[in-house]
Amino acid sequence: MQRPVGPVAYDCVKVIIVRDGSALLFSEFGQRIVTVGDVVVLNANVLCGSEPEGHITTTTIYLDTDYVIDQVFWQHAWLLRDRLDAQRFTEAVYSEPSQVLRLGEDRTGMLMPWLDELVARSIDGGFEHNFHRMQALWFAIADVVTPFINVSPVRQSPTQRAHSRPTLPRCRRFAPVRDEAHETRATLARDIAANWTLGVLSARVHLSPKQLSRVFTETYGKTPLAYLTILRVEEMAHLLRETDLTIDAASRVVGWASRSRANEAFQECVGMTPSAYRRMHLAGK
């Protein structure tokens, strides 16, 4: 690449390995020079542009955010109850929007054969047949790269976790999903805008409100109404990204009559207001 690239953002994590040349990166995090031996890690929705110093050759790996969260979940399964916990844990641990990792030419040189094979297998149309090999190649690359990633401290002891987020200490265990929990989740997902109450939901599955709350929380790590809030926030974020609906209209579509309640729930789950989220998305287009 020999021409500048304006700031763009992707709804995925990007891992960029510099193979040759150098460039100036510029974005919300400032300006940084990257050269051979460097690996750039960008979180989802982080604006970043570049201006080559002569030329630069890179290989970029795009990681779906759901895939990253799943991997973090299994890596820390002893600590996390469910995937919803894993999302917040991931955001807390990998809180820096971007990082430039100085691996050095020797270490990045180790990656080149794996990168070349990964690229070849990803563009030949045989993704389904190459799936496990591509997974193996990515894990080999990640094994070299991830020790250099800066992580934020997290609370891990039972006492600390109870203090930071009121909940009883617990050990992860595998158990079949109760039919009542599965049916309640499906009911919520089918109509997130309905005015659901714990009483209405529990009557549908023939449990008391207290029993349903316990059964659902054991399965999904959240109460039914807390889970509904997450579903609404996810759909509202989708509407803000993909439609021209106003924030008031989007909040009503997902079931909130009050914009203040929508703002509160959205900021708690996403970390920013709906207005800031839409501006960030528009800036990345």
Side-chain angles (χ1 to χ4, degrees), residues 53-260:
E53 294 185 321
H55 76 283
I56 187 171
T57 303
T58 64
T59 296
T60 302
I61 300 173
Y62 299 84
L63 300 170
D64 182 87
T65 52
D66 287 338
Y67 174 80
V68 173
I69 291 169
D70 285 339
Q71 297 303 316
V72 171
F73 171 65
W74 288 113
Q75 181 182 1
H76 300 278
W78 62 275
L79 175 65
L80 304 173
R81 174 59 183 263
D82 56 29
R83 195 183 172 283
L84 298 176
D85 271 353
Q87 180 170 352
R88 292 193 177 187
F89 181 84
T90 303
E91 292 168 353
V93 171
Y94 301 105
S95 59
E96 295 189 29
S98 67
Q99 296 187 44
V100 177
L101 314 179
R102 310 293 185 181
L103 269 65
E105 291 190 50
D106 290 342
R107 286 192 181 86
T108 54
M110 293 171 52
L111 306 179
M112 298 310 164
W114 299 331
L115 291 169
D116 290 341
E117 184 179 353
L118 185 61
V119 170
R121 289 181 181 272
S122 67
I123 62 176
D124 66 1
F127 178 83
E128 178 183 355
H129 302 292
N130 294 328
F131 175 76
H132 293 101
R133 178 57 183 167
M134 291 175 67
Q135 288 272 85
L137 290 167
W138 160 243
F139 286 144
I141 294 166
D143 187 53
V144 176
V145 172
T146 52
F148 290 84
I149 296 178
N150 292 325
V151 297
S152 303
V154 295
R155 302 177 184 272
Q156 294 185 343
S157 75
T159 303
Q160 288 174 315
R161 293 191 72 220
H163 177 72
S164 63
R165 207 173 353 159
T167 181
L168 293 175
R170 61 202 178 202
C171 296
R172 176 164 172 77
R173 61 183 178 86
F174 294 96
V177 176
R178 286 274 298 266
D179 289 341
E180 297 91 342
H182 177 76
E183 184 178 341
T184 299
R185 180 189 179 281
T187 297
L188 294 173
R190 279 195 299 268
D191 190 1
I192 64 173
N195 186 26
W196 296 112
T197 66
L198 194 57
V200 171
L201 292 168
S202 61
R204 283 175 169 252
V205 294
H206 309 291
L207 293 176
S208 71
K210 185 176 181 179
Q211 286 176 315
L212 175 60
S213 185
R214 176 180 57 80
V215 167
F216 196 95
T217 301
E218 286 177 352
T219 302
Y220 295 108
K222 302 288 184 292
T223 65
L225 297 184
Y227 193 90
L228 174 62
T229 295
I230 293 171
L231 293 177
R232 287 178 172 178
V233 167
E234 290 177 345
E235 178 59 20
M236 186 171 177
H238 171 77
L239 293 173
L240 294 177
R241 290 195 311 269
E242 305 297 336
T243 75
D244 294 324
L245 286 175
T246 65
I247 293 173
D248 285 341
S251 63
R252 289 194 297 271
V253 167
V254 301
W256 284 310
S258 165
R259 175 165 177 170
S260 63

